[in-house]
Amino acid sequence: MEFQFEFDWQAAINSLPFLLKGIPYTLLISFGGLAIGFVLGILFGLLSLNKHRALKWPATAYIEVFRGTPILVQVLFIFYGLPDIIGAPIHPLVAGIAAIALNSGAYISEVVRGGVQSIDRGQTEAGLSLGLSRSQTFWAIIWPQAFRRMIPPLGNQAIVSIKDTSLFSVIGVGELVRQGQVYIANTFTAFEVYFAVAVLYLIITLSLSLVLRFFERRGLGSA
């Protein structure tokens, strides 16, 4: 017997209206989580640079735990495990945003730490010699330079977080992959539908990459 497979373009096209319903959830989870993760990243990234162990060790523990465990395990723990502790169910959307926030925050913390440490110490000495306090020197001189160096890795983390949302179909979040699974269950066109899902993810991530490169060239490269 000869097995022949013919790609059904029409099936892929027909799935798009249904799949597009998952994009708002994908973007909400990824960018909502990244916004919180950025705040966590700055906080714990700076704490990890602190010389006081009481501040540095908790920050280091957070970073290592969330960088060292899979995000799928993290979202399952939040969605299924935490309700046993708090005594109330957690909405899948909230669980997804929390997982992205905590996971991306750990990686962004390392980006922040590396960016700050990459600035020559002479910049701090120059700020202090001008009569600025250490806090003023950091936010006026060190942080702007460090942030410019953080843009590429922060962009990479944003792309990773967008792709990570595909794992949250396991808790019923109606993002792209979940929409694809529901559509396939009714049409049995798995190859074409997952191909369409992959194309949509590619469009989102490539668009984000182009935006980041534009700002990096125009706004940040000349600063």
Side-chain angles (χ1 to χ4, degrees), residues 131-205:
L132 298 176
S133 66
R134 286 193 174 274
S135 177
Q136 291 172 328
T137 299
F138 179 81
W139 293 112
I141 299 176
I142 304 301
W143 178 255
Q145 297 181 72
F147 184 75
R148 286 196 292 272
R149 298 184 181 184
M150 296 176 200
I151 295 300
L154 287 176
N156 290 337
Q157 181 57 45
I159 291 173
V160 169
S161 294
I162 290 173
K163 293 187 292 184
D164 281 345
T165 61
S166 63
L167 299 172
F168 299 163
S169 60
V170 299
I171 60 172
V173 177
E175 43 69 60
L176 268 174
V177 171
R178 180 63 177 174
Q179 291 295 104
Q181 291 172 340
V182 173
Y183 190 85
I184 291 168
N186 295 316
T187 62
F188 304 102
T189 52
F191 189 89
E192 290 84 358
V193 173
Y194 282 131
F195 175 83
V197 169
V199 170
L200 290 174
Y201 270 112
L202 187 61
I203 291 172
I204 294 172
T205 55

Side-chain angles (χ1 to χ4, degrees), residues 4-223:
Q4 294 182 343
F5 174 78
E6 184 176 350
F7 188 88
D8 188 349
W9 287 101
Q10 193 59 47
I13 294 172
N14 291 341
S15 70
L16 289 178
F18 193 81
L19 296 178
L20 290 174
K21 296 178 182 179
I23 290 183
Y25 290 99
T26 296
L27 296 180
L28 175 61
I29 294 171
S30 55
F31 288 110
L34 280 167
I36 300 172
F38 183 68
V39 176
L40 293 175
I42 294 176
L43 174 61
F44 287 100
L46 296 181
L47 287 177
S48 68
L49 292 170
N50 200 291
K51 296 180 180 180
H52 298 287
R53 294 182 179 181
L55 297 175
K56 181 176 182 178
W57 285 8
T60 302
Y62 160 75
I63 294 169
E64 294 303 325
V65 167
F66 283 95
R67 288 177 67 227
T69 56
I71 191 171
L72 179 57
V73 174
Q74 294 165 16
V75 76
L76 290 174
F77 177 80
I78 294 170
F79 185 68
Y80 292 111
L82 280 186
D84 292 339
I85 299 175
I86 64 177
I90 296 177
H91 193 280
L93 197 60
V94 174
I97 292 174
I100 291 291
L102 292 169
N103 185 270
S104 64
Y107 284 95
I108 292 172
S109 296
E110 286 295 277
V111 173
V112 170
R113 182 186 61 79
V116 171
Q117 288 182 328
S118 70
I119 305 302
D120 189 85
R121 292 183 179 180
Q123 298 289 321
T124 300
E125 295 174 359
L128 294 175
S129 67
L130 292 173
L132 298 176
S133 66
R134 286 193 174 274
S135 177
Q136 291 172 328
T137 299
F138 179 81
W139 293 112
I141 299 176
I142 304 301
W143 178 255
Q145 297 181 72
F147 184 75
R148 286 196 292 272
R149 298 184 181 184
M150 296 176 200
I151 295 300
L154 287 176
N156 290 337
Q157 181 57 45
I159 291 173
V160 169
S161 294
I162 290 173
K163 293 187 292 184
D164 281 345
T165 61
S166 63
L167 299 172
F168 299 163
S169 60
V170 299
I171 60 172
V173 177
E175 43 69 60
L176 268 174
V177 171
R178 180 63 177 174
Q179 291 295 104
Q181 291 172 340
V182 173
Y183 190 85
I184 291 168
N186 295 316
T187 62
F188 304 102
T189 52
F191 189 89
E192 290 84 358
V193 173
Y194 282 131
F195 175 83
V197 169
V199 170
L200 290 174
Y201 270 112
L202 187 61
I203 291 172
I204 294 172
T205 55
L206 283 178
S207 299
L208 179 59
S209 295
L210 291 174
V211 170
L212 291 170
R213 288 172 186 171
F214 173 81
F215 283 107
E216 189 176 348
R217 289 196 304 267
R218 297 294 181 89
L220 299 168
S222 60

